[in-house]
């Protein structure tokens, strides 16, 4: 099984161009599997539950060059903790959350709890999806001015998750829309607003084709997840 994991990962790595960052989504994955993936050179790991992530960070603290990414829905009362524990937060999905992150980031810097601001992505719903959090494209345009005013947010780009059940053409076209959106709002942000976090196990090749800079892969590396 472990040989399989390493074999699968190496195969996947050959499909990912060097300018695209492969993020291993390790939610529910046992530590041994994470360590194996680390052994293959992967340094980016993503979690979607704060408590689980913190427990793993504690257990893996000797692996000090791991870059931790948060990809789950973040409740505002956990925003402070998230700033302290993650280098990247991909799932900033509302103005209210962005506002809290801005306030707490300033505090955390002042109190020297952190030395660098986490890098964040704004989560957008390219296609309507009742089951997901995030900005619709039109809401994002409405909130741009306010987002720009947050001095303590290091906004690096956009993150998107597509609804299930789309054809390849629809997937490619939706990812291309995300890329166009990034281009169109770029001027509102600083020059390092250039990241597109998109593509999961089932659609990452199309995401890369459309311009993804980060892909978030779980199942295809680690196998099926145990249900929560
Ligand atoms: C679970 C998860 C992934 C990984 O999904 P797979 O289909 O297992 O690759 C990627 N992004 C987010 C936000 C997730 O919650």
């Amino acid at each position: 099984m472990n040989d399989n994991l390493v074999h699968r990962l190496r195969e996947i790595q050959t499909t990912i161009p060097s300018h695209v960052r492969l993020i291993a989504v390790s939610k529910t994955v046992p530590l041994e599997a994470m360590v194996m993936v680390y052994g293959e050179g992967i340094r980016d790991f993503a979690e979607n539950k704060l408590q689980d992530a913190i427990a793993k960070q504690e257990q893996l603290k000797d692996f000090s060059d791991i870059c931790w990414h948060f990809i789950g829905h973040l409740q505002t009362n956990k925003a402070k903790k998230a700033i302290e524990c993650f280098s990247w937060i991909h799932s900033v999905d509302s103005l209210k959350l962005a506002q809290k992150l801005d306030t707490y980031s300033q505090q955390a810097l002042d109190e020297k709890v952190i030395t660098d601001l986490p890098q964040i992505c704004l989560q957008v719903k390219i296609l309507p999806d009742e089951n997901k959090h995030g900005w619709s494209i039109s809401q994002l345009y409405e909130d741009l001015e306010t987002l720009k005013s947050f001095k303590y947010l290091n906004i690096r780009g956009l993150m998107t998750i597509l609804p299930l059940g789309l054809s390849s053409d629809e997937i490619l076209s939706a990812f291309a829309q995300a890329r166009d959106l990034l281009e169109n709002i770029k001027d509102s942000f600083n020059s390092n607003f250039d990241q597109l976090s998109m593509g999961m196990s089932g659609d990452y090749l199309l995401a890369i084709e459309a311009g993804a800079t980060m892909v978030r892969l779980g199942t295809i590396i680690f196998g099926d997840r145990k249900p929560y």
Side-chain angles (χ1 to χ4, degrees), residues 67-178:
C67 178
W68 292 94
H69 300 249
F70 191 76
I71 57 171
H73 175 58
L74 188 58
Q75 289 161 311
T76 49
N77 63 355
K78 294 181 179 161
K80 196 166 190 177
K81 199 74 198 157
I83 291 164
E84 295 169 19
C85 299
F86 291 91
S87 302
W88 281 85
I89 304 174
H90 294 234
S91 43
V92 177
D93 56 18
S94 71
L95 202 55
K96 186 174 157 211
L97 177 60
Q99 158 88 70
K100 290 272 190 239
L101 289 168
D102 184 60
T103 307
Y104 292 143
S105 292
Q106 180 173 17
Q107 271 179 27
L109 277 181
D110 287 350
E111 293 164 4
K112 302 196 164 42
V113 178
I114 58 169
T115 50
D116 297 303
L117 291 174
Q119 313 189 67
I120 72 160
C121 294
L122 305 172
Q123 184 173 349
V124 285
K125 294 188 284 192
I126 295 301
L127 299 170
D129 190 341
E130 280 175 22
N131 302 317
K132 293 208 176 66
H133 296 275
W135 277 272
S136 68
I137 295 178
S138 59
Q139 283 163 352
L140 185 62
Y141 275 105
E142 280 172 33
D143 289 344
L144 272 187
E145 280 303 312
T146 317
L147 285 165
K148 251 162 60 175
S149 72
F150 295 144
K151 294 284 173 287
Y152 293 89
L153 284 192
N154 185 7
I155 303 179
R156 293 294 316 274
L158 302 176
M159 185 274 240
T160 196
I161 309 170
L162 299 184
L164 297 173
L166 302 178
S167 70
S168 299
D169 284 350
E170 289 166 332
I171 292 171
L172 192 57
S173 135
F175 282 145
Q177 264 183 278

